[in-house]
Amino acid sequence: MSRAVPVIDIEPFRNGTDPDSVVAAVDQSCRNTGFLVITGHGIDPTVTEEAMVRIQRFFDQPTSTKAAFHDENRESGYYQFANMALARSNDDHNAPPDLREELRVRRLDVIDWRSPLWNGDDQLRDAISAYYAAMDELADTVMEIFALALGRPAGFFRQFTNRHDSQLGIYHYPPMTEPPLPGQLRGGAHTDFGSLTLLHGNPSVHGLQVWTGEEWEYAPVVDGSIVINIGDLMQRWTNDQWNSTLHRVANPVEGDWDKARYSLAFFHQPHHDAVISSLDMTQDAKYPAITSGEHFQRKLDALALA
């Protein structure tokens, strides 16, 4: 595996001036690290800036106030600090809880402005919904690049994602006021579950690390960029030609313990009943076919603390 997470400008794909070079670069990255950092994505920076303002204001509220932003029926909304352990989805069953809190937003929360998740906060709803819509559009573009890289028509994956229920995970990693437990991190080592993840991380403090096969390497921090990594379902689709790579959110060094970190992760997920089976025509499938929803629920169940 390459030790470098590449930075790729996708504007030549978006404007049609040199799409082939972008497709080739993305394909190479997915075969190596499974991670890339993209620029030239076309996201209006004011959309991200407004989302960050509203997110920080939300997390600054007391826990009792944040707890009212929840929709139990959709399993969306606020989840308290240290309520799950990502590493448990990777079979580390004794992993301690992650040092973060979350606001989880699903597609139906964006479509339904009356969702109890928003708890009447129209400014939060509008800012997060705009960001979700921007990531949704960008995910479509990236999936077109993926399809072409795999020798399929640009719109190939639409049949699997036109009814998606992708989640936006909004994370706050508070300043650390005491040493962590042994092995405890802001986000334990894990792979993502779906087709791809689009990540915006506040650059105030480093955190995201990618496993190279030999060591943990920090992902590049590039102003205005989006980090992309492929998920487990894309690895299954490609029959292990592409890698869903272990990654984690490391704790800050001791001099930065007083610094918070925020991140917005758009987890792009094929629709619930989409059947994921190998697209590889050169060798036998390494995984049995599985629906997107079944795979996601298995992984989600493993995260919860006993």
Side-chain angles (χ1 to χ4, degrees):
M1 179 183 292
S2 168
R3 290 175 178 266
V5 175
V7 179
I8 300 173
D9 180 4
I10 69 167
E11 187 172 9
F13 180 88
R14 294 178 49 247
N15 63 22
T17 58
D18 189 10
D20 291 346
S21 68
V22 174
V23 170
V26 170
D27 180 39
Q28 183 66 24
S29 177
C30 290
R31 291 176 187 275
N32 291 332
T33 62
F35 268 79
L36 57 150
V37 175
I38 63 167
T39 60
H41 46 66
I43 302 299
D44 183 348
T46 62
V47 171
T48 303
E49 290 165 5
E50 180 63 16
M52 289 302 305
V53 167
R54 297 300 167 187
I55 288 164
Q56 291 181 38
R57 290 180 182 177
F58 171 80
F59 283 119
D60 282 345
Q61 299 175 106
T63 298
S64 58
T65 301
K66 291 180 285 193
F69 291 74
H70 198 78
D71 186 344
E72 189 64 35
N73 292 328
R74 293 178 185 154
E75 296 184 332
S76 59
Y78 178 67
Y79 288 84
Q80 293 188 23
F81 180 76
N83 78 304
M84 63 173 55
L86 284 168
R88 296 192 181 193
S89 69
N90 194 46
D91 296 328
D92 184 354
H93 301 297
N94 296 315
D98 299 322
L99 300 171
R100 68 178 193 178
E101 56 182 338
E102 176 187 2
L103 181 66
R104 185 183 306 163
V105 179
R106 303 187 69 161
R107 188 183 190 188
L108 288 176
D109 297 310
V110 172
I111 295 173
D112 178 11
W113 60 271
R114 298 166 300 179
S115 170
L117 178 153
W118 305 117
N119 195 34
D121 189 333
D122 295 347
Q123 292 178 319
L124 178 68
R125 179 199 66 205
D126 291 350
I128 299 307
S129 295
Y131 185 85
Y132 186 105
M135 292 298 106
D136 193 4
E137 183 176 355
L138 178 57
D140 284 343
T141 299
V142 176
M143 291 297 281
E144 289 181 359
I145 296 172
F146 283 2
L148 292 169
L150 294 169
R152 300 303 197 278
F156 173 78
F157 285 114
R158 298 273 178 145
Q159 62 188 304
F160 302 99
T161 63
N162 56 8
R163 292 183 286 107
H164 73 83
D165 187 20
S166 301
Q167 296 191 37
L168 178 62
I170 304 169
Y171 304 112
H172 173 222
Y173 308 89
M176 296 175 62
T177 57
E178 58 186 34
L181 298 173
Q184 189 173 36
L185 299 172
R186 282 183 156 179
H190 65 286
T191 58
D192 289 346
F193 308 158
S195 48
L196 65 93
T197 302
L198 304 173
L199 176 71
H200 167 76
N202 186 297
S204 61
V205 60
H206 281 283
L208 178 62
Q209 292 182 327
V210 179
W211 179 246
T212 69
E214 298 178 0
E215 62 183 359
W216 291 103
E217 177 182 302
Y218 280 104
V221 176
V222 180
D223 188 38
S225 67
I226 298 288
V227 179
I228 294 178
N229 63 277
I230 68 170
D232 297 340
L233 290 186
M234 188 59 70
Q235 179 165 324
R236 294 175 77 110
W237 250 329
T238 64
N239 211 27
D240 287 353
Q241 293 181 34
W242 289 3
N243 292 302
S244 177
T245 301
L246 274 176
H247 53 286
R248 68 184 189 181
V249 181
N251 298 330
V253 298
E254 287 195 29
D256 286 336
W257 276 22
D258 61 339
K259 295 177 181 174
R261 176 182 168 86
Y262 299 87
S263 64
L264 300 90
F266 184 83
F267 299 108
H268 189 254
Q269 186 79 18
H271 55 248
H272 183 81
D273 55 354
V275 177
I276 312 302
S277 57
S278 173
L279 300 176
D280 182 8
M281 307 300 292
T282 64
Q283 57 183 326
D284 293 339
K286 298 180 180 180
Y287 305 96
I290 192 171
T291 64
S292 170
E294 181 182 359
H295 180 268
F296 180 82
Q297 195 59 50
R298 286 181 185 178
K299 288 285 191 175
L300 195 63
D301 290 345
L303 289 178
L305 300 180

